[in-house]
Amino acid sequence: MSGNLLKVRLHYADDDTYIRKSAYLVTGRLYSEDIALRPAVLSMLFKFMSDPDFKVRQTAINAAGEIGKWDFENVRSYFDEGLKDPHHSPRNAVIGSVKKMGEVNPVPVLAWAREYLHHENKEIRREICHGIELRGRKHPEDILPLLAELQHDRTARVRNTLVHVIGQIAYKKGCLIKVLELLASWENRPLVDAALEEIIDVHHRYRNFAALTQAEAIDLIDARYPGRQRKSEGMAH
Protein backbone atom coordinates (compact mmCIF):
# COMPACT_ATOMS: atom_id res chain seq x y z
CA MET A 1 0.00 0.00 0.00
CA SER A 2 2.81 2.45 0.89
CA GLY A 3 4.44 1.98 -2.51
CA ASN A 4 1.22 2.99 -4.20
CA LEU A 5 0.55 5.99 -1.97
CA LEU A 6 1.59 8.55 -4.56
CA LYS A 7 -0.50 6.85 -7.24
CA VAL A 8 -3.52 6.78 -4.96
CA ARG A 9 -2.99 10.43 -4.11
CA LEU A 10 -3.10 11.34 -7.81
CA HIS A 11 -6.61 9.89 -8.00
CA TYR A 12 -7.66 11.52 -4.72
CA ALA A 13 -6.46 14.89 -6.05
CA ASP A 14 -7.88 14.59 -9.57
CA ASP A 15 -9.90 17.54 -10.82
CA ASP A 16 -12.54 15.14 -12.17
CA THR A 17 -15.20 14.50 -9.53
CA TYR A 18 -15.98 11.07 -11.00
CA ILE A 19 -12.38 9.91 -10.70
CA ARG A 20 -12.25 11.03 -7.07
CA LYS A 21 -15.55 9.23 -6.44
CA SER A 22 -14.21 6.04 -8.01
CA ALA A 23 -11.13 6.34 -5.80
CA TYR A 24 -13.03 6.60 -2.55
CA LEU A 25 -15.48 3.85 -3.54
CA VAL A 26 -12.56 1.52 -4.32
CA THR A 27 -10.96 2.43 -0.99
CA GLY A 28 -14.14 1.54 0.86
CA ARG A 29 -14.43 -1.74 -1.02
CA LEU A 30 -10.80 -2.69 -0.33
CA TYR A 31 -11.30 -2.02 3.37
CA SER A 32 -14.44 -4.15 3.39
CA GLU A 33 -13.04 -7.08 1.43
CA ASP A 34 -9.44 -7.40 2.67
CA ILE A 35 -9.02 -7.50 6.44
CA ALA A 36 -5.23 -7.49 6.14
CA LEU A 37 -5.31 -4.17 4.31
CA ARG A 38 -7.41 -2.31 6.86
CA PRO A 39 -4.57 -0.88 8.98
CA ALA A 40 -2.81 0.34 5.83
CA VAL A 41 -6.00 1.94 4.50
CA LEU A 42 -6.59 3.78 7.78
CA SER A 43 -2.95 4.89 7.87
CA MET A 44 -3.22 6.19 4.31
CA LEU A 45 -6.39 8.14 5.10
CA PHE A 46 -4.72 9.56 8.22
CA LYS A 47 -1.86 10.88 6.05
CA PHE A 48 -4.26 12.28 3.46
CA MET A 49 -6.22 14.18 6.12
CA SER A 50 -3.29 16.59 6.49
CA ASP A 51 -2.62 16.92 2.76
CA PRO A 52 -2.32 20.54 1.56
CA ASP A 53 -4.75 19.87 -1.31
CA PHE A 54 -8.35 20.19 -0.11
CA LYS A 55 -9.48 17.70 -2.78
CA VAL A 56 -7.31 14.98 -1.22
CA ARG A 57 -8.76 15.73 2.22
CA GLN A 58 -12.28 15.75 0.76
CA THR A 59 -11.78 12.37 -0.93
CA ALA A 60 -10.27 10.89 2.23
CA ILE A 61 -13.35 11.91 4.22
CA ASN A 62 -15.62 10.42 1.57
CA ALA A 63 -13.60 7.18 1.74
CA ALA A 64 -14.01 7.19 5.51
CA GLY A 65 -17.73 7.65 4.90
CA GLU A 66 -17.84 4.45 2.88
CA ILE A 67 -16.11 2.60 5.71
CA GLY A 68 -18.34 4.23 8.32
CA LYS A 69 -21.45 2.72 6.81
CA TRP A 70 -20.62 -0.37 8.84
CA ASP A 71 -17.43 0.36 10.84
CA PHE A 72 -17.94 3.88 12.15
CA GLU A 73 -15.78 3.67 15.27
CA ASN A 74 -12.57 3.22 13.31
CA VAL A 75 -13.15 6.34 11.21
CA ARG A 76 -15.01 8.72 13.53
CA SER A 77 -11.86 10.78 14.15
CA TYR A 78 -11.72 11.70 10.46
CA PHE A 79 -15.11 13.39 10.75
CA ASP A 80 -14.05 15.21 13.92
CA GLU A 81 -11.11 16.60 11.97
CA GLY A 82 -13.12 17.23 8.82
CA LEU A 83 -15.60 19.46 10.61
CA LYS A 84 -12.71 21.79 11.50
CA ASP A 85 -11.24 21.86 8.00
CA PRO A 86 -10.55 25.41 6.75
CA HIS A 87 -11.97 24.59 3.30
CA HIS A 88 -15.69 24.09 2.71
CA SER A 89 -15.29 21.02 0.45
CA PRO A 90 -13.98 18.66 3.15
CA ARG A 91 -16.61 20.00 5.55
CA ASN A 92 -19.28 19.28 2.94
CA ALA A 93 -17.82 15.79 2.57
CA VAL A 94 -18.41 15.26 6.29
CA ILE A 95 -22.07 16.17 5.88
CA GLY A 96 -22.46 13.99 2.81
CA SER A 97 -20.84 11.12 4.68
CA VAL A 98 -23.05 11.62 7.73
CA LYS A 99 -26.06 11.42 5.41
CA LYS A 100 -25.03 8.14 3.80
CA MET A 101 -23.72 6.58 7.03
CA GLY A 102 -26.69 7.68 9.10
CA GLU A 103 -29.09 6.09 6.66
CA VAL A 104 -27.64 2.59 7.12
CA ASN A 105 -25.66 2.74 10.39
CA PRO A 106 -27.67 5.17 12.48
CA VAL A 107 -26.89 4.26 16.09
CA PRO A 108 -23.20 5.26 16.31
CA VAL A 109 -23.50 8.00 13.68
CA LEU A 110 -26.41 9.78 15.33
CA ALA A 111 -24.73 9.44 18.75
CA TRP A 112 -21.67 11.16 17.27
CA ALA A 113 -23.82 13.85 15.63
CA ARG A 114 -25.56 14.61 18.91
CA GLU A 115 -22.22 15.63 20.44
CA TYR A 116 -22.03 18.53 17.98
CA LEU A 117 -25.57 19.88 18.25
CA HIS A 118 -24.48 22.45 20.84
CA HIS A 119 -21.04 23.20 19.42
CA GLU A 120 -19.90 26.81 19.81
CA ASN A 121 -19.47 27.10 16.03
CA LYS A 122 -22.87 27.85 14.52
CA GLU A 123 -21.84 26.46 11.11
CA ILE A 124 -21.02 23.10 12.67
CA ARG A 125 -24.43 23.03 14.36
CA ARG A 126 -26.07 23.87 11.04
CA GLU A 127 -24.05 21.28 9.11
CA ILE A 128 -24.87 18.51 11.59
CA CYS A 129 -28.56 19.42 11.41
CA HIS A 130 -28.39 19.08 7.64
CA GLY A 131 -26.30 15.91 7.78
CA ILE A 132 -28.80 13.81 9.74
CA GLU A 133 -31.67 14.67 7.36
CA LEU A 134 -31.45 11.57 5.17
CA ARG A 135 -32.10 9.14 8.02
CA GLY A 136 -35.19 11.17 8.88
CA ARG A 137 -36.73 10.68 5.46
CA LYS A 138 -37.54 7.09 6.41
CA HIS A 139 -37.27 7.22 10.19
CA PRO A 140 -38.19 10.70 11.45
CA GLU A 141 -38.54 9.31 14.97
CA ASP A 142 -34.76 8.73 14.99
CA ILE A 143 -33.75 12.32 14.32
CA LEU A 144 -36.59 14.54 15.59
CA PRO A 145 -35.40 14.16 19.21
CA LEU A 146 -31.96 15.40 18.07
CA LEU A 147 -33.47 18.25 16.04
CA ALA A 148 -35.50 19.24 19.09
CA GLU A 149 -32.25 20.20 20.79
CA LEU A 150 -31.83 22.96 18.19
CA GLN A 151 -35.29 24.48 18.55
CA HIS A 152 -33.98 27.28 20.80
CA ASP A 153 -30.78 27.92 18.83
CA ARG A 154 -30.02 31.64 18.79
CA THR A 155 -28.70 31.67 15.23
CA ALA A 156 -31.28 32.31 12.51
CA ARG A 157 -29.24 30.34 9.96
CA VAL A 158 -29.38 27.25 12.18
CA ARG A 159 -33.10 27.65 12.86
CA ASN A 160 -33.78 28.11 9.13
CA THR A 161 -31.88 24.92 8.35
CA LEU A 162 -33.86 23.14 11.07
CA VAL A 163 -37.15 24.25 9.49
CA HIS A 164 -35.87 23.21 6.05
CA VAL A 165 -34.88 19.73 7.28
CA ILE A 166 -38.27 19.19 8.92
CA GLY A 167 -39.94 20.07 5.61
CA GLN A 168 -37.69 17.67 3.70
CA ILE A 169 -38.56 14.83 6.07
CA ALA A 170 -42.29 15.40 6.22
CA TYR A 171 -43.25 14.89 2.58
CA LYS A 172 -41.93 11.33 2.45
CA LYS A 173 -44.27 8.34 2.68
CA GLY A 174 -45.54 7.70 6.20
CA CYS A 175 -43.51 10.54 7.72
CA LEU A 176 -45.92 13.46 8.12
CA ILE A 177 -48.00 11.90 10.91
CA LYS A 178 -44.86 10.98 12.85
CA VAL A 179 -43.41 14.46 12.39
CA LEU A 180 -46.61 16.13 13.60
CA GLU A 181 -46.76 13.87 16.66
CA LEU A 182 -43.15 14.65 17.58
CA LEU A 183 -43.47 18.40 16.94
CA ALA A 184 -46.41 18.53 19.36
CA SER A 185 -43.99 18.21 22.29
CA TRP A 186 -41.69 21.04 21.18
CA GLU A 187 -41.69 24.20 23.28
CA ASN A 188 -40.78 26.79 20.64
CA ARG A 189 -44.22 27.36 19.13
CA PRO A 190 -43.15 30.07 16.63
CA LEU A 191 -40.57 27.68 15.23
CA VAL A 192 -43.13 24.87 15.06
CA ASP A 193 -45.48 27.22 13.20
CA ALA A 194 -42.70 28.04 10.75
CA ALA A 195 -42.04 24.32 10.28
CA LEU A 196 -45.72 23.65 9.60
CA GLU A 197 -45.77 26.38 6.96
CA GLU A 198 -42.65 24.88 5.39
CA ILE A 199 -44.28 21.44 5.37
CA ILE A 200 -47.33 22.85 3.57
CA ASP A 201 -45.13 24.71 1.09
CA VAL A 202 -42.97 21.63 0.42
CA HIS A 203 -46.07 19.57 -0.35
CA HIS A 204 -46.82 22.08 -3.09
CA ARG A 205 -43.26 22.49 -4.41
CA TYR A 206 -42.65 18.73 -4.46
CA ARG A 207 -46.20 17.80 -5.40
CA ASN A 208 -44.99 15.33 -8.05
CA PHE A 209 -42.99 13.42 -5.43
CA ALA A 210 -44.86 13.94 -2.16
CA ALA A 211 -46.70 11.03 -0.57
CA LEU A 212 -49.70 13.29 0.11
CA THR A 213 -51.30 16.19 -1.71
CA GLN A 214 -50.97 19.63 -0.18
CA ALA A 215 -54.66 19.58 0.75
CA GLU A 216 -54.23 16.25 2.57
CA ALA A 217 -51.20 17.62 4.41
CA ILE A 218 -53.15 20.72 5.48
CA ASP A 219 -56.01 18.55 6.75
CA LEU A 220 -53.63 16.49 8.89
CA ILE A 221 -51.95 19.63 10.24
CA ASP A 222 -55.28 21.32 11.01
CA ALA A 223 -56.48 18.20 12.82
CA ARG A 224 -53.36 18.14 14.98
CA TYR A 225 -53.18 21.94 15.46
CA PRO A 226 -56.77 23.22 15.32
CA GLY A 227 -55.85 26.65 16.69
CA ARG A 228 -53.06 27.24 14.22
CA GLN A 229 -53.03 30.57 12.44
CA ARG A 230 -52.86 29.69 8.77
CA LYS A 231 -50.57 31.78 6.60
CA SER A 232 -51.11 29.69 3.50
CA GLU A 233 -54.70 30.57 2.68
CA GLY A 234 -53.79 31.90 -0.73
CA MET A 235 -51.65 28.95 -1.82
CA ALA A 236 -52.67 26.57 -4.57
CA HIS A 237 -54.02 23.36 -3.10
Side-chain angles (χ1 to χ4, degrees), residues 98-166:
V98 170
K99 285 185 175 183
K100 65 187 179 186
M101 293 185 301
E103 187 177 22
V104 295
N105 190 16
V107 174
V109 176
L110 294 181
W112 173 86
R114 176 167 246 142
E115 296 174 10
Y116 285 96
L117 287 174
H118 302 288
H119 194 276
E120 61 185 12
N121 186 324
K122 61 187 178 183
E123 275 304 297
I124 287 180
R125 300 197 303 273
R126 187 191 69 80
E127 288 165 352
I128 291 296
C129 176
H130 202 202
I132 61 177
E133 173 191 313
L134 198 57
R135 176 67 182 177
R137 292 188 177 193
K138 291 183 180 177
H139 302 279
E141 67 278 6
D142 286 352
I143 75 159
L144 261 294
L146 277 70
L147 296 180
E149 297 187 27
L150 293 172
Q151 64 178 300
H152 297 297
D153 198 285
R154 295 182 178 181
T155 303
R157 187 163 158 80
V158 176
R159 294 195 306 272
N160 291 340
T161 299
L162 174 57
V163 167
H164 166 80
V165 168
I166 292 170

Side-chain angles (χ1 to χ4, degrees), residues 205-231:
R205 296 201 313 267
Y206 295 176
R207 55 193 175 276
N208 293 330
F209 310 100
L212 302 172
T213 66
Q214 188 189 51
E216 290 169 335
I218 290 173
D219 287 344
L220 283 175
I221 290 170
D222 286 347
R224 169 65 69 169
Y225 299 92
R228 182 180 70 90
Q229 282 210 335
R230 292 173 55 172
K231 301 172 186 173

Side-chain angles (χ1 to χ4, degrees), residues 13 19 22 28 31 80 86 92 94 110 126 128 148 156 158 165 196:
I19 290 177
S22 294
Y31 186 92
D80 293 324
N92 287 342
V94 172
L110 294 181
R126 187 191 69 80
I128 291 296
V158 176
V165 168
L196 296 176

